Amino acid sequence: MNEAIDIISNLAIVRDRIITATEKAGRAPGSARLLLATKTVPAERVRIAVEAGEVLTGENKVQELKEKDHLLRNLALERHFIGHLQTNKIKEVLKYVNCIQSLDRPELAEKVHQRLMYEERTVEVMVQVNTSFEQSKFGAHPDDAFRLIEKVRSLDTLQVKGLMTIGLFEADPEKVRPSFRLLREIRDQALQNGLLPPDANELSMGMSGDLETAIEEGATIVRVGTSIFGKRQYPDSYYWNEKNN
Ligand SMILES: *Cc1c(COP(=O)(O)O)cnc(C)c1O
């Protein structure tokens, strides 16, 4: 098996899916970007996708960011953190990423801010909302989302770009649709009432199995791993569970 051809042909299929879904939804070309979800994927394989033209990556674990850094450091990449972030890992994660998509609680926002004040810098963030109401997933409860956005806006080291969600863990994309729709509704309301600035309109949602549905519902970033790099050894619950991070 030629791993490079594998990744490149998978990538072509995923790009095609994104283009088709974007067109079908009557949206502007390029309005939904691809983020490579690279958890467990060795840096050499990530590099193949990046050299094929991808510019946006997302990791779930600080340890993996660190391990892959030497092979990816010289690439022009936008690096996002998409995993559950424990407060004791803030300092480490800030060494590697441009954006923390998984900002999901006020105390995390406060602690990231404190660290950034000390470093005299800023970072981009997205507010993660739990739109599936599943206990096992992280993200602010939809009822608390506006309060969390308000908190983030009050901290001037945090440049809020929009919202992120994982969505219902379900093979049938139609069952995931309400999660995506809810995230869009929260964003639209927050934009309307000025809670989010006009340019903070990102919606990071949709993965390998449901990216078309997510794009129909307004995703500006889809996070794709399996469809590009192949199946992972552990179920996603492993990466989304606090005790494993
Ligand atoms: C793993 C992961 C993805 C990608 O999931 P796939 O089904 O492999 O495409 C997206 N978002 C998050 C937060 C993830 O942990």
Side-chain angles (χ1 to χ4, degrees):
M1 180 180 86
N2 186 320
E3 291 193 339
I5 290 174
D6 230 35
I7 290 172
I8 288 167
S9 62
N10 288 346
L11 196 53
I13 293 167
V14 169
R15 284 172 177 161
D16 226 56
R17 286 174 62 191
I18 293 172
I19 290 169
T20 306
T22 307
E23 267 173 13
K24 241 182 99 184
R27 296 178 46 187
S31 59
R33 294 193 293 155
L34 171 61
L35 175 145
L36 305 171
T38 56
K39 58 178 181 266
T40 78
V41 180
E44 300 77 35
R45 286 171 69 74
V46 178
R47 218 187 148 97
I48 292 168
V50 173
E51 283 170 352
E54 292 308 319
V55 293
L56 184 55
T57 59
E59 281 288 355
N60 291 63
K61 286 172 185 277
V62 177
Q63 186 60 31
E64 286 195 51
L65 276 169
K66 202 192 246 172
E67 282 165 10
K68 299 175 200 178
D69 184 58
H70 68 286
L71 265 173
L72 302 175
R73 194 181 319 174
N74 59 349
L75 300 174
L77 272 181
E78 196 181 324
R79 296 171 173 84
H80 288 200
F81 191 75
I82 61 174
H84 179 67
L85 183 55
Q86 288 175 285
T87 52
N88 64 356
K89 301 275 171 68
I90 290 171
K91 182 179 155 191
E92 269 310 287
V93 90
L94 286 173
K95 288 182 189 165
Y96 303 104
V97 304
N98 314 85
C99 178
I100 298 171
Q101 289 201 5
S102 43
L103 204 87
D104 64 352
R105 55 201 194 279
E107 49 297 3
L108 180 63
E110 186 62 53
K111 293 220 159 102
V112 173
H113 171 67
Q114 281 164 15
R115 181 67 205 174
L116 289 165
M117 291 273 281
Y118 176 77
E119 294 183 11
E120 298 183 346
R121 54 173 284 217
T122 63
V123 79
E124 293 180 353
V125 299
M126 293 187 199
V127 169
Q128 183 179 357
V129 183
N130 180 345
T131 54
S132 66
F133 302 95
E134 287 170 297
Q135 291 237 318
S136 61
K137 270 186 212 140
F138 294 100
H141 189 281
D143 294 342
D144 299 328
F146 293 117
R147 218 168 320 145
L148 181 55
I149 295 167
E150 211 164 33
K151 170 74 182 172
V152 169
R153 289 295 307 282
S154 75
L155 304 170
D156 61 5
T157 60
L158 306 181
Q159 300 178 315
V160 66
K161 303 301 285 183
L163 307 179
M164 180 269 220
T165 198
I166 290 179
L168 187 67
F169 194 67
E170 185 29 86
D172 176 2
E174 282 315 309
K175 295 201 174 135
V176 197
R177 189 184 294 278
S179 294
F180 297 152
R181 189 164 289 170
L182 177 58
L183 195 72
R184 175 168 49 110
E185 284 166 0
I186 293 170
R187 180 202 60 181
D188 290 348
Q189 208 176 321
L191 285 170
Q192 260 165 34
N193 62 22
L195 208 50
L196 281 174
D199 65 332
N201 57 4
E202 297 265 19
L203 289 176
S204 173
M205 59 190 195
M207 316 195 303
S208 290
D210 50 29
L211 68 88
E212 285 86 356
T213 312
I215 290 171
E216 279 171 38
E217 294 300 330
T220 63
I221 294 177
V222 291
R223 309 178 307 264
V224 181
T226 310
S227 286
I228 297 167
F229 300 109
K231 277 210 164 67
R232 290 176 295 270
Q233 195 180 349
Y234 300 104
D236 284 339
S237 54
Y238 175 81
Y239 304 96
W240 292 338
N241 199 323
E242 179 156 39
K243 67 179 188 290
N244 296 316
N245 276 271

